[in-house]
Amino acid sequence: MNQGRRWLRLALNLALSVGLLLGWAPGWYLPAAGTQGETYRYEFEQPNFLVTRIVIVLDAEGRGTLEYVEKDIPAPTRAPVTLRPESLARLRRLAEQVAALPSAPPSEKHANLGLSKLSLVVNGQPVTVAFTYTPHPALLELGQFFRGIVTQHQRVSQIEVARRYQPLDMPKLLRDLEADLNARRIAEPAALADLLASLANDLRLSLIARNHARRLYDRISGKT
C-alpha cells in the first residue's frame, strides 16, 4: 500500500471516530420511510474490479449511507450520504420508471460486469431487480448514478487528504477528477463547486493545481 493510501485510510478512520462521538455509526442508519414510503438500496459485487463491493441505502429525503470495498484495501469505507435536491428528483424519476415496468426487464448474462441489485420502495410498493447487464435505460442510469456516488466520494477523499499531506499529488488528482467528469462517472458534479473554489484559492498548492481547479469550477458552475 503506498503512502498516499495510508494517509487516506488514517484520515477516514479519524472521520469515522468523530462520527461515532457525534452519535453516528455506519450500519446503524435506518432510512426513514418518508411521506410516500420511498427507500432506495443499491448493491454491487465484482471481486475483480478496483471497487469490489458497494452498498448504498437512501431514504425518501436522499439521506443515508454508502459502503464500499476497494480491492487492495480489505477494510470497507463507510460514509453518510445526502443527495442534492436535483439528484433526489432524478433518483425518484428513474425509480418510478423502473417500478412502472409491466414485467422483469430484459437482462443479459455478463458475469465479468458484476452483479447489481436494486431494492426500491416506490409509492409504498416494493421493487427488486438483479442484473449483470440490461439495455433498459432507467436501470442503466440508476446503476451509473449509484456507482457515481462512490467515485465522487473517492475523489473528494483523495483530494482532501492530498491537500493536507501530499499537495504535490494535486495536479494528478485533478486530472483524474476531470477524466471522471468527462466520462460522467461523478454523480453530482455541482456538489464539487465549493471544494474546487477553495482549491483554486489555496496558496499552498502549485499554480498549475490552482488554475486547474479554477477551470473545473468554472465548468461545473456553467461559466465556460
Side-chain angles (χ1 to χ4, degrees), residues 41-120:
R41 180 183 178 91
Y42 176 78
E43 299 178 58
F44 174 81
E45 284 193 60
Q46 190 1 311
N48 295 321
F49 280 12
L50 292 178
V51 176
T52 63
R53 176 170 170 77
I54 297 170
V55 179
I56 299 175
V57 183
L58 300 172
D59 67 9
E61 303 302 320
R63 294 172 295 137
T65 57
L66 67 81
E67 174 179 316
Y68 61 90
V69 178
E70 296 176 90
K71 191 171 185 179
D72 56 348
I73 303 178
T77 296
R78 301 182 178 95
V81 176
T82 301
L83 295 184
R84 296 170 62 87
E86 65 271 20
S87 298
L88 179 58
R90 175 188 174 193
L91 176 59
R92 284 173 173 162
R93 172 178 56 82
L94 292 170
E96 288 173 355
Q97 291 177 18
V98 171
L101 291 173
S103 60
S107 178
E108 301 176 14
K109 294 183 179 180
H110 296 281
N112 60 303
L113 298 178
L115 179 63
S116 295
K117 297 179 182 179
L118 282 167
S119 301
L120 314 172

Side-chain angles (χ1 to χ4, degrees), residues 206-219:
S206 68
L207 181 60
I208 291 175
R210 298 201 307 272
N211 286 341
H212 198 166
R214 186 170 292 108
R215 289 196 301 272
L216 292 179
Y217 171 79
D218 290 342
R219 169 181 170 177

Side-chain angles (χ1 to χ4, degrees), residues 11-20 22-31 55-59 61-68 76-84 146 148-154 156-157 160 187-188 191:
L12 292 174
N13 286 340
L14 177 61
L16 174 58
S17 298
V18 172
L20 290 170
L22 293 175
W24 174 85
W28 295 358
Y29 180 87
L30 293 177
V55 179
I56 299 175
V57 183
L58 300 172
D59 67 9
E61 303 302 320
R63 294 172 295 137
T65 57
L66 67 81
E67 174 179 316
Y68 61 90
T77 296
R78 301 182 178 95
V81 176
T82 301
L83 295 184
R84 296 170 62 87
F146 281 113
I149 292 175
V150 172
T151 301
Q152 180 174 320
H153 182 270
Q154 285 181 301
V156 170
S157 298
E160 289 177 341
E188 300 181 291

Side-chain angles (χ1 to χ4, degrees), residues 124-203:
Q125 299 299 315
V127 180
T128 302
V129 182
F131 60 93
T132 57
Y133 173 79
T134 173
H136 191 273
L139 278 175
L140 282 177
E141 190 173 343
L142 272 175
Q144 292 168 353
F145 176 76
F146 281 113
R147 290 191 295 274
I149 292 175
V150 172
T151 301
Q152 180 174 320
H153 182 270
Q154 285 181 301
R155 294 302 183 209
V156 170
S157 298
Q158 292 165 359
I159 286 171
E160 289 177 341
V161 170
R163 183 182 194 177
R164 184 168 183 179
Y165 300 110
Q166 294 178 299
L168 294 179
D169 288 351
M170 193 62 70
K172 178 186 182 303
L173 293 176
L174 290 172
R175 290 195 299 270
D176 292 342
L177 176 61
E178 184 170 23
D180 287 332
L181 288 169
N182 291 340
R184 298 185 178 181
R185 290 191 293 262
I186 300 296
E188 300 181 291
L192 304 176
D194 289 345
L195 173 61
L196 290 169
S198 178
L199 293 174
N201 294 290
D202 191 339
L203 297 180

